[in-house]
Amino acid sequence: VVGALIVAAAAQVVIPLPGTPVPITGQTFGVLLVGAALGARRSVASLALYLALGLLGAPFFKSGGHGIEQFANTSADGALALAPTGGYLIGMLCAAGLVGRLADLGWDRSVVGTVGAMVIGNAVIYAFGVSWLAVALQIGVGEAISKGATPFLIGDTIKITLAAGIFPSAWWYVNNGRSAGPR
């Protein structure tokens, strides 16, 4: 529950960018931190809860967004159309699980390993998000990368640095600040 709430809170930090339907958000920061701190099972559960509650109407997605329209909606002619940023949400679930699994394998025991896991997780988010964006906007992969990845590289570097810096405190809380349980 705390992991889902962290990602939901981070999603409310939104900075629109000109030329792309994808804004800068704090979600990736939350996803990577939750993945590293909670391990694979609990981070996937947290992100699945985040997505489920957002789909059911909780204002958990960017700018308080919610519902299926974050993934798809009906166009003016009545056809089903993919929403441009839905792939990033799906990618976040996968990234949390992968970063969590790498943490379970010990990557979280060093700064280099933690940052490496988070960079890989961020790449997973881009893979899903940019692919989905290309289909949603009916554009080529190169244009999708220029709209859905390139403008975010500096910001994501900052988010990964912050998440890796906060990670030791989050890891301590998960492992000492609450009742112990299996990862």
Side-chain angles (χ1 to χ4, degrees), residues 29-60:
F29 165 82
V31 168
L32 299 173
L33 182 61
V34 165
L38 296 182
R41 287 193 337 237
R42 291 185 295 188
S43 65
V44 167
S46 291
L47 266 290
L49 179 63
Y50 166 76
L51 292 172
L53 291 173
L55 283 168
L56 292 171
F60 277 13

Side-chain angles (χ1 to χ4, degrees), residues 127-169:
F128 279 86
V130 169
S131 300
W132 185 291
L133 183 66
V135 173
L137 298 181
Q138 299 177 359
I139 58 177
V141 173
E143 187 177 353
I145 290 169
S146 72
K147 289 181 181 288
T150 306
F152 307 98
L153 294 175
I154 293 171
D156 283 342
T157 300
I158 293 168
K159 288 185 259 184
I160 288 169
T161 302
L162 289 172
I166 293 171
F167 170 72
S169 296

Side-chain angles (χ1 to χ4, degrees), residues 83-163:
T85 59
Y88 294 94
L89 292 168
I90 294 167
M92 289 175 192
L93 174 68
C94 297
L98 178 59
V99 171
R101 180 64 183 138
L102 294 173
D104 290 343
L105 293 173
W107 285 44
D108 63 346
R109 304 306 186 263
S110 72
V111 173
V112 172
T114 300
V115 169
M118 290 180 179
V119 167
I120 293 168
N122 209 64
V124 168
I125 295 169
Y126 281 142
F128 279 86
V130 169
S131 300
W132 185 291
L133 183 66
V135 173
L137 298 181
Q138 299 177 359
I139 58 177
V141 173
E143 187 177 353
I145 290 169
S146 72
K147 289 181 181 288
T150 306
F152 307 98
L153 294 175
I154 293 171
D156 283 342
T157 300
I158 293 168
K159 288 185 259 184
I160 288 169
T161 302
L162 289 172

